[in-house]
Amino acid sequence: MFAAHAIFQTAIVSPIAVDYLIIAGGGGGGGSYGGGGGAGGLLSGSTNLIATTNYTITVGAGGSGTGSKGAGINGSNSSALTLTSTGGGGGGGQIAGNGKNGGSGGGASYTGTGGTGVSGQGFDGGTGKNPVFYPAAGGGGASAVGGTPLTNASNSGAGGAGASSSITGSAVTYAGGGGGGQAQEGAAAGAGGSGGGGAGSNTGNVGGAGTANLGAGGGGSGGDNAAAGGNGGSGVVILSIPTARYTGTTTGLPTVTTSGSNTILKYTASGSYTA
């Protein structure tokens, strides 16, 4: 006789396809003829999650704008799903004229060179061109370089434009660069880039802050004084998960909404998701 053998089958759990948007903190604007801060790096796309796996979410803070004629501070990185977006570069200041490298590069003061953006995440900051009228350059954005002043003009450069995403179910523009600060009487400071970029300021005023949770750059400050550049805006991480596969296991208190057949998790602070 033949012995009976039980046959066991292991259930195969399919991967979970999700969309993501990962934006780092924006860079701070530079002080005194300061360049605009670069936007935080922006990553978007689709990937697969593995069931029962815990995924850590890190949301980067915006960099501080700097007074005392210094360069702005870079934003902090954001990360999720093994991907990392790079914090935006700080804008150059009067005594540290170059914009800093970052997800998008910081704009230069009137004598410096713009910072370099990370390929696939953001664009370069604008470069200073006019040591007579002191216009500063705009920080780079997610979809455009920061504005560079004209050689024979006194208006400062605008921040680079951000990029639109509809991951939440409606279109929102993220990651705009900060505008350059201005000193010349009657001249225009640089406007903030679309997607929350802070505007540059005129003489004696603090630069505009980048919008929180958009990863926007702060505006540079104007004038030969100690006024600070604007702070960069904090980043954000958004996941779009098929509702049929959503577990509800999160930390960090993300905002939970639905769009069509998907559940949307919006993290404005660090946390986690277990698939």
Side-chain angles (χ1 to χ4, degrees):
M1 297 182 61
F2 296 97
H5 295 278
I7 299 176
F8 297 95
Q9 290 186 325
T10 301
I12 298 175
V13 180
S14 61
I16 305 152
V18 303
D19 295 328
Y20 61 83
L21 178 68
I22 305 169
I23 301 176
S32 185
Y33 315 122
L42 184 153
L43 292 172
S44 64
S46 300
T47 192
N48 290 327
L49 304 185
I50 305 302
T52 73
T53 300
N54 180 265
Y55 294 91
T56 298
I57 310 293
T58 301
V59 176
S64 299
T66 302
S68 301
K69 307 179 182 181
I73 304 301
N74 281 20
S76 298
N77 297 348
S78 291
S79 61
L81 316 181
T82 73
L83 300 168
T84 298
S85 59
T86 304
Q94 184 180 6
I95 60 174
N98 293 337
K100 295 180 178 179
N101 300 336
S104 287
S109 182
Y110 63 98
T111 58
T113 300
T116 301
V118 175
S119 178
Q121 297 191 18
F123 284 75
D124 297 348
T127 291
K129 280 192 174 181
N130 193 333
V132 177
F133 297 110
Y134 312 116
S143 66
V145 298
T148 292
L150 299 175
T151 301
N152 295 314
S154 53
N155 292 342
S156 293
S164 179
S165 170
S166 297
I167 190 171
T168 60
S170 58
V172 177
T173 302
Y174 300 86
Q182 179 54 268
Q184 191 77 7
E185 292 292 338
S194 61
S201 69
N202 290 102
T203 301
N205 296 316
V206 174
T211 302
N213 304 130
L214 295 182
S221 72
D224 186 10
N225 53 54
N231 294 333
S234 54
V236 67
V237 173
I238 302 174
L239 305 179
S240 178
I241 304 165
T243 299
R245 303 294 301 275
Y246 175 59
T247 66
T249 305
T250 66
T251 65
L253 300 177
T255 301
V256 183
T257 58
T258 59
S259 176
S261 60
N262 289 342
T263 295
I264 313 300
L265 299 181
K266 180 180 178 181
Y267 289 84
T268 57
S270 298
S272 66
Y273 175 68
T274 301

